[in-house]
PDB file of all heavy atoms in Angstrom:
ATOM      1  N   SER A 250     -13.490 -19.538  -1.514  1.00 97.00           N
ATOM      2  CA  SER A 250     -14.794 -19.077  -1.988  1.00 97.00           C
ATOM      3  C   SER A 250     -15.562 -20.207  -2.663  1.00 97.00           C
ATOM      4  O   SER A 250     -15.003 -21.252  -3.016  1.00 97.00           O
ATOM      5  CB  SER A 250     -14.623 -17.907  -2.954  1.00 97.00           C
ATOM      6  OG  SER A 250     -14.113 -18.371  -4.195  1.00 97.00           O
ATOM      7  N   ALA A 251     -16.846 -19.966  -2.878  1.00 95.00           N
ATOM      8  CA  ALA A 251     -17.722 -21.001  -3.441  1.00 95.00           C
ATOM      9  C   ALA A 251     -17.650 -21.089  -4.955  1.00 95.00           C
ATOM     10  O   ALA A 251     -17.947 -22.123  -5.549  1.00 95.00           O
ATOM     11  CB  ALA A 251     -19.166 -20.741  -3.006  1.00 95.00           C
ATOM     12  N   GLY A 252     -17.266 -19.999  -5.617  1.00 95.00           N
ATOM     13  CA  GLY A 252     -17.253 -20.001  -7.079  1.00 95.00           C
ATOM     14  C   GLY A 252     -18.662 -20.061  -7.640  1.00 95.00           C
ATOM     15  O   GLY A 252     -19.632 -19.658  -6.997  1.00 95.00           O
ATOM     16  N   GLY A 253     -18.786 -20.543  -8.865  1.00 96.00           N
ATOM     17  CA  GLY A 253     -20.097 -20.650  -9.507  1.00 96.00           C
ATOM     18  C   GLY A 253     -20.220 -19.756 -10.718  1.00 96.00           C
ATOM     19  O   GLY A 253     -19.325 -18.951 -11.016  1.00 96.00           O
ATOM     20  N   PRO A 254     -21.330 -19.891 -11.458  1.00 97.00           N
ATOM     21  CA  PRO A 254     -21.502 -19.147 -12.722  1.00 97.00           C
ATOM     22  C   PRO A 254     -21.377 -17.640 -12.597  1.00 97.00           C
ATOM     23  O   PRO A 254     -20.958 -16.975 -13.538  1.00 97.00           O
ATOM     24  CB  PRO A 254     -22.913 -19.561 -13.172  1.00 97.00           C
ATOM     25  CG  PRO A 254     -23.123 -20.904 -12.552  1.00 97.00           C
ATOM     26  CD  PRO A 254     -22.433 -20.844 -11.220  1.00 97.00           C
ATOM     27  N   GLN A 255     -21.733 -17.087 -11.429  1.00 97.00           N
ATOM     28  CA  GLN A 255     -21.648 -15.638 -11.260  1.00 97.00           C
ATOM     29  C   GLN A 255     -20.209 -15.147 -11.213  1.00 97.00           C
ATOM     30  O   GLN A 255     -19.952 -13.944 -11.291  1.00 97.00           O
ATOM     31  CB  GLN A 255     -22.393 -15.199  -9.992  1.00 97.00           C
ATOM     32  CG  GLN A 255     -21.672 -15.452  -8.684  1.00 97.00           C
ATOM     33  CD  GLN A 255     -21.769 -16.902  -8.208  1.00 97.00           C
ATOM     34  OE1 GLN A 255     -22.357 -17.755  -8.874  1.00 97.00           O
ATOM     35  NE2 GLN A 255     -21.210 -17.176  -7.036  1.00 97.00           N
ATOM     36  N   THR A 256     -19.257 -16.090 -11.113  1.00 97.00           N
ATOM     37  CA  THR A 256     -17.845 -15.709 -11.055  1.00 97.00           C
ATOM     38  C   THR A 256     -17.135 -15.913 -12.388  1.00 97.00           C
ATOM     39  O   THR A 256     -15.942 -15.614 -12.491  1.00 97.00           O
ATOM     40  CB  THR A 256     -17.106 -16.537  -9.980  1.00 97.00           C
ATOM     41  OG1 THR A 256     -17.033 -17.908 -10.395  1.00 97.00           O
ATOM     42  CG2 THR A 256     -17.806 -16.452  -8.646  1.00 97.00           C
ATOM     43  N   TRP A 257     -17.819 -16.434 -13.378  1.00 97.00           N
ATOM     44  CA  TRP A 257     -17.196 -16.598 -14.681  1.00 97.00           C
ATOM     45  C   TRP A 257     -16.912 -15.232 -15.284  1.00 97.00           C
ATOM     46  O   TRP A 257     -17.575 -14.237 -14.966  1.00 97.00           O
ATOM     47  CB  TRP A 257     -18.102 -17.386 -15.614  1.00 97.00           C
ATOM     48  CG  TRP A 257     -18.381 -18.787 -15.152  1.00 97.00           C
ATOM     49  CD1 TRP A 257     -17.734 -19.485 -14.179  1.00 97.00           C
ATOM     50  CD2 TRP A 257     -19.425 -19.646 -15.637  1.00 97.00           C
ATOM     51  NE1 TRP A 257     -18.288 -20.728 -14.029  1.00 97.00           N
ATOM     52  CE2 TRP A 257     -19.326 -20.860 -14.917  1.00 97.00           C
ATOM     53  CE3 TRP A 257     -20.415 -19.511 -16.605  1.00 97.00           C
ATOM     54  CZ2 TRP A 257     -20.193 -21.927 -15.146  1.00 97.00           C
ATOM     55  CZ3 TRP A 257     -21.273 -20.572 -16.840  1.00 97.00           C
ATOM     56  CH2 TRP A 257     -21.160 -21.772 -16.112  1.00 97.00           C
ATOM     57  N   HIS A 258     -15.953 -15.179 -16.192  1.00 97.00           N
ATOM     58  CA  HIS A 258     -15.609 -13.907 -16.833  1.00 97.00           C
ATOM     59  C   HIS A 258     -16.834 -13.275 -17.485  1.00 97.00           C
ATOM     60  O   HIS A 258     -17.678 -13.979 -18.070  1.00 97.00           O
ATOM     61  CB  HIS A 258     -14.542 -14.136 -17.898  1.00 97.00           C
ATOM     62  CG  HIS A 258     -13.171 -14.372 -17.340  1.00 97.00           C
ATOM     63  ND1 HIS A 258     -12.895 -15.358 -16.427  1.00 97.00           N
ATOM     64  CD2 HIS A 258     -11.982 -13.737 -17.571  1.00 97.00           C
ATOM     65  CE1 HIS A 258     -11.604 -15.333 -16.125  1.00 97.00           C
ATOM     66  NE2 HIS A 258     -11.025 -14.370 -16.800  1.00 97.00           N
ATOM     67  N   PHE A 259     -16.935 -11.954 -17.352  1.00 97.00           N
ATOM     68  CA  PHE A 259     -17.977 -11.126 -17.975  1.00 97.00           C
ATOM     69  C   PHE A 259     -19.361 -11.340 -17.366  1.00 97.00           C
ATOM     70  O   PHE A 259     -20.344 -10.801 -17.871  1.00 97.00           O
ATOM     71  CB  PHE A 259     -18.060 -11.380 -19.495  1.00 97.00           C
ATOM     72  CG  PHE A 259     -16.759 -11.332 -20.194  1.00 97.00           C
ATOM     73  CD1 PHE A 259     -16.160 -12.487 -20.681  1.00 97.00           C
ATOM     74  CD2 PHE A 259     -16.080 -10.131 -20.363  1.00 97.00           C
ATOM     75  CE1 PHE A 259     -14.935 -12.458 -21.332  1.00 97.00           C
ATOM     76  CE2 PHE A 259     -14.861 -10.081 -21.004  1.00 97.00           C
ATOM     77  CZ  PHE A 259     -14.280 -11.244 -21.494  1.00 97.00           C
ATOM     78  N   SER A 260     -19.462 -12.104 -16.260  1.00 97.00           N
ATOM     79  CA  SER A 260     -20.776 -12.405 -15.688  1.00 97.00           C
ATOM     80  C   SER A 260     -21.218 -11.383 -14.655  1.00 97.00           C
ATOM     81  O   SER A 260     -22.343 -11.458 -14.166  1.00 97.00           O
ATOM     82  CB  SER A 260     -20.762 -13.805 -15.061  1.00 97.00           C
ATOM     83  OG  SER A 260     -20.565 -14.791 -16.056  1.00 97.00           O
ATOM     84  N   ALA A 261     -20.370 -10.447 -14.300  1.00 96.00           N
ATOM     85  CA  ALA A 261     -20.743  -9.384 -13.364  1.00 96.00           C
ATOM     86  C   ALA A 261     -20.156  -8.076 -13.864  1.00 96.00           C
ATOM     87  O   ALA A 261     -19.023  -8.046 -14.366  1.00 96.00           O
ATOM     88  CB  ALA A 261     -20.221  -9.689 -11.963  1.00 96.00           C
TER      89      ALA A 261
END
Side-chain angles (χ1 to χ4, degrees):
S250 73
Q255 77 281 2
T256 68
W257 297 346
H258 285 55
F259 311 108
S260 295

